[in-house]
Amino acid sequence: PSIDDPRFVSPEAAASWIAPQEPVLLVSHNDHTRGYPLQILIFHEIVNDIIGGTPVAVTFCPLCYSAIAFDRRVEGEAVEFGVSGLLRMSDLVMYDRKTESLWQQFTGRAIVGTLTGTELARLPAQIVSFQAFREAHPNAQVLSRETGFDRPYGRNPYAGYEDVDTPPFAVSNATDGRLPPMSKVIAIPDDNDPLAIPHAVSRSRGVIETTVGGRPVVIFHSGQTVSAVDARNVRESGVDGTVGVFEPTVGERRLSFEQTGAGHIVDRETGTRWSTTGRGLDGPLSGRQLPRVNHGSYFAFAWLSFRPSTRILN
């Protein structure tokens, strides 16, 4: 069941039941920030919420590892989304409760029904560790376990799914050939130049500066965030790290970045140290936020199924 009346608690209160390394989906919009623990989303897949006055749908498909937030207004009217129970390319198919049209979660596009072809606007969202979320946004709200449903939050019903040698569920043609289907990629959408970066590449480099569709972006990959679909207990899962994609600018100032020997991310222009959430931690630009770029950290088969023209950065 989707969560349609979400309740929230402070990070301090959430710390009693979520481990520092556990994954949380960070969504910031209109100067409001909320965190959605994947240990809850894994059982509900959709949260119908309002952030900064905007109706949003916060979604997570564990089979694709696609955590995506959308503006859930259609033709100016807010609609609620539910979980249809259907899959397409192993991805969650949602439905709206106004017209019962079916929507592909991965693309935010209606694929069956009267709204076919309509596409939801996507909002920047980032999977981070609870510790990173708490440090970056100590006064933000965290989705509460008080959902109105009895679920074993903190347990992973897909134990062992994150295995590069395990084939994707319910996908018979996940054979792009360029990457193992169950490997993870950082994926940046662009109509003309979609880009994917294997986790093995981004993790080893720490910082990557590149362009997508002619636009400069910087990718950070570090930290101890664990997967939500590895071990039976989420907090005991293997480490994915935290991935962030940003515009390399503060105001009108263009920055360049590097990872130091101590593992810190700093910009070369001012020496400011940056978090993987794109916030200046200390230095001349402390407290400033890099503009967020829509991206995701998905299983490769899912991204390549929907974006077969993807350019892969190795």
Side-chain angles (χ1 to χ4, degrees), residues 28-49:
S28 288
H29 182 63
N30 289 348
D31 296 324
H32 289 73
T33 298
R34 283 182 170 168
Y36 302 82
L38 295 198
Q39 63 156 266
I40 299 176
L41 290 182
I42 202 170
F43 285 99
H44 297 279
E45 302 191 357
I46 299 174
V47 179
N48 291 292
D49 199 2

Side-chain angles (χ1 to χ4, degrees), residues 8 32 80 83 89 108 112 146 166 180 193 200 220 228 258 261-262:
F8 294 87
H32 289 73
E80 276 194 347
V83 179
M89 302 302 292
V112 175
E146 299 299 319
T166 299
D193 183 32
F220 299 159
E258 62 184 353

Side-chain angles (χ1 to χ4, degrees), residues 6-19:
R7 300 179 182 181
F8 294 87
V9 297
S10 68
E12 182 180 7
S16 65
W17 47 264
I18 184 169

Side-chain angles (χ1 to χ4, degrees), residues 5 57 63 67 90 96 135 141 160 164 184 210 234 267 276 287 312:
D5 185 22
L63 296 177
S90 204
D96 71 81
E135 290 174 351
Q141 296 178 307
V164 74
K184 280 218 176 114
T210 186
V234 173
D267 70 76
T276 48
I312 297 177

